[in-house]
Amino acid sequence: MKVNWADATDSVLRFCGIPSESRVVMDAGPTPADGPRDRGDGYDELLIRTIDGTCLGKLSVPIVETRSIPIEGEAPPPTPPRGNHPMLHERRLALHRCSDVPDHWRPVLIADRMDERIPIAWSCGRDLRISSDLRDALAVELAFPPLLDGYYARKNDGDPSSVATWLGREYRRSRAASASPDPEVPPATVTLRLDYDRPIEHSNLRSLLDLLTSVDVRSSCGFLLRREEDVDVARMFEDSGHEILLHTEAGDRDAFLRECDLFEARFCRRPLGYTAHGGRGSAGYLGQRQWEWAIEAGMRYGEMLGRKIHRMHPLVIVDSAGIARTTPLVAPGVHFSLDAGMKPEAHNLDALLALCPRMLQPEGHVVIMNHPDLHRDELRTLLEALMAQAPRSLTFADLASEHESVVAQGDRS
């Protein structure tokens, strides 16, 4: 069963920074692109280029592996996801040559298929049009199959953010002379994601909070619900201007909703979002299953893994009939983990110092993940390097509110 991504159009446009009411997607009259491999069921990947040959990267349907997390003993080897959801059968991208394209439409983006360049986006006066194939290739990156076992890894590569950023800029360039202003592009943003898995002394916590104040970084700290004494720690975070959220271990709907109720009873506030714990005793990250529970719990944001998406973005849910739809839930940029393990030398500082500062571009969201009891000196070095570029720093909840405001503004305009 092939997934129908048409109702995810709004999510794709918002991902690109294009007002969702814009009539951008070109659905009319597609015919299959020529070539022997186009007679099959699509492509494993599409290489996307601008018309002048600049490569924006690959698009592909994410192929993932899962692995259950044992309570004790060795973990089993990773395997393909269990189940029969339509997304688990979505493995290749379609590519059509759009027919009846007006002569005055100028191709601006192409899918490069070795010996042929197939237009997938056009400029027409002050308007931009994209093919439904390109829409679908971006929509699949905003979705995640419902997993019965914890997410382990993505097996293939894709770079939707580069394509989405280019489309947003091209749209704004084409509309520069328009009378109606488009939403302002958010500046580069840094968030520190903290997973409070193990207790630390209050003096150690105070030194962490002092560090965050000194570098002007705000954090979103996820709490497990194993320890009642974490109430005092959570209060210290909130009193210092940071956010607390649910760090879930739940493996089913009822357990997740019970966690939300316990979080509210313990911390005197409903969690606005969650992150998934990956340690022993946890179910791990379960993709769409957790998103559906989060929506039912009234959350505003969830979590995305295994994507090159580094901005707050909408999430797409696919039902059992293969129909995709936009959801009210969003997700922050996929995190970069400073911690590679618990040993003092087990960190990714050098790699993150090389990568993350380059990502502090307008619209970019750099999320650094750290455990408060690990790699404090390395955390200071990394945060100082990032904040030297003068980005803003917001919590996940702040960014979700900002995203909702932009969407509401677009709906009113």
Side-chain angles (χ1 to χ4, degrees):
M1 178 191 303
K2 177 141 182 79
V3 175
N4 183 340
W5 299 103
D7 288 343
T9 298
D10 282 357
S11 291
V12 171
L13 296 182
R14 292 171 188 169
F15 176 46
C16 296
I18 299 173
S20 59
E21 72 276 6
S22 303
R23 304 179 72 176
V24 167
V25 176
M26 165 69 173
D27 282 310
T31 58
D34 298 328
R37 292 203 292 172
D38 300 311
R39 301 191 185 103
D41 59 350
Y43 293 93
D44 292 330
E45 62 183 36
L46 297 175
L47 187 63
I48 309 301
R49 296 185 185 275
T50 63
I51 198 65
D52 65 3
T54 301
C55 182
L56 300 181
K58 298 176 183 176
L59 295 178
S60 63
V61 176
I63 307 299
V64 304
E65 292 182 315
T66 61
R67 184 169 72 177
S68 60
I69 303 172
I71 296 177
E72 58 184 23
E74 292 295 321
T79 62
R82 295 185 291 135
N84 197 37
H85 188 271
M87 277 203 70
L88 299 178
H89 304 290
E90 190 91 344
R91 303 183 71 87
R92 310 195 82 195
L93 295 176
L95 180 61
H96 298 79
R97 186 187 307 284
C98 288
S99 62
D100 304 322
V101 175
D103 292 339
H104 68 281
W105 285 21
R106 178 175 59 86
V108 291
L109 212 60
I110 58 99
D112 192 342
R113 293 310 310 166
M114 294 178 299
D115 58 344
E116 191 165 22
R117 308 172 83 196
I118 299 167
I120 53 175
W122 301 261
S123 175
C124 42
R126 290 209 303 260
D127 289 318
L128 176 72
R129 294 289 185 269
I130 68 173
S131 71
S132 54
D133 288 339
L134 180 54
R135 185 268 319 277
D136 293 355
L138 293 173
V140 72
E141 294 273 9
L142 304 178
F144 212 104
L147 302 181
L148 299 175
D149 304 298
Y151 167 78
Y152 179 74
R154 178 172 176 167
K155 296 179 64 178
N156 59 352
D157 193 21
D159 193 358
S161 285
S162 294
V163 178
T165 297
W166 188 93
L167 287 170
R169 290 173 180 168
E170 180 66 16
Y171 174 83
R172 291 188 292 273
R173 186 203 62 75
S174 68
R175 301 285 293 173
S178 174
S180 57
D182 291 316
E184 198 171 306
V185 175
T189 307
V190 170
T191 304
L192 175 62
R193 165 185 161 173
L194 292 169
D195 292 355
Y196 194 84
D197 293 350
R198 293 165 295 275
I200 63 175
E201 295 292 333
H202 279 201
S203 59
N204 194 357
L205 175 58
R206 174 51 58 193
S207 71
L208 171 62
L209 295 174
D210 289 344
L211 164 61
L212 299 185
T213 297
S214 70
V215 294
D216 198 21
V217 166
R218 298 183 70 197
S219 70
S220 292
C221 185
F223 284 87
L224 302 170
L225 298 175
R226 300 174 178 179
R227 299 176 298 270
E228 292 187 13
E229 58 269 26
D230 285 349
V231 169
D232 292 338
V233 175
R235 186 178 298 115
M236 291 176 69
F237 271 102
E238 291 192 302
D239 288 348
S240 297
H242 305 283
E243 176 197 10
I244 63 171
L245 58 119
L246 174 64
H247 196 42
T248 182
E249 300 182 89
D252 59 56
R253 168 192 174 274
D254 291 346
F256 187 91
L257 297 179
R258 283 196 300 271
E259 283 186 334
C260 293
D261 291 340
L262 179 55
F263 186 101
E264 183 174 18
R266 181 171 294 173
F267 300 119
C268 300
R269 64 175 63 253
R270 195 76 174 166
L272 298 179
Y274 78 90
T275 54
H277 182 52
R280 294 188 183 278
S282 167
Y285 178 69
L286 303 177
Q288 180 178 301
R289 289 181 70 207
Q290 284 168 334
W291 298 352
E292 292 171 330
W293 306 337
I295 292 170
E296 185 174 353
M299 290 183 174
R300 297 161 69 181
Y301 67 85
E303 182 178 15
M304 177 67 89
L305 295 181
R307 307 284 194 269
K308 289 183 178 177
I309 298 179
H310 301 292
R311 66 185 70 182
M312 184 64 77
H313 60 282
L315 298 177
V316 171
I317 280 180
V318 178
D319 66 23
S320 59
I323 304 300
R325 59 183 173 86
T326 293
T327 77
L329 204 67
V330 296
V334 177
H335 70 264
F336 297 97
S337 181
L338 175 61
D339 306 325
M342 296 185 64
K343 294 181 178 180
E345 67 275 13
H347 59 77
N348 297 313
L349 176 61
D350 290 344
L352 298 190
L353 284 174
L355 176 63
C356 293
R358 300 200 308 266
M359 303 186 66
L360 290 177
Q361 303 294 326
E363 300 178 83
H365 184 205
V366 173
V367 179
I368 302 299
M369 193 279 282
N370 172 242
H371 297 82
D373 58 331
L374 300 177
H375 306 119
R376 183 69 55 80
D377 291 341
E378 289 78 14
L379 179 64
R380 176 186 291 276
T381 298
L382 179 57
L383 294 181
E384 287 178 345
L386 293 175
M387 299 310 289
Q389 295 187 222
R392 63 180 184 169
S393 183
L394 297 176
T395 67
F396 293 159
D398 292 335
L399 285 166
S401 295
E402 180 178 84
H403 188 274
E404 291 169 2
S405 297
V406 170
V407 171
Q409 178 183 353
D411 290 342
R412 289 193 299 268
S413 63

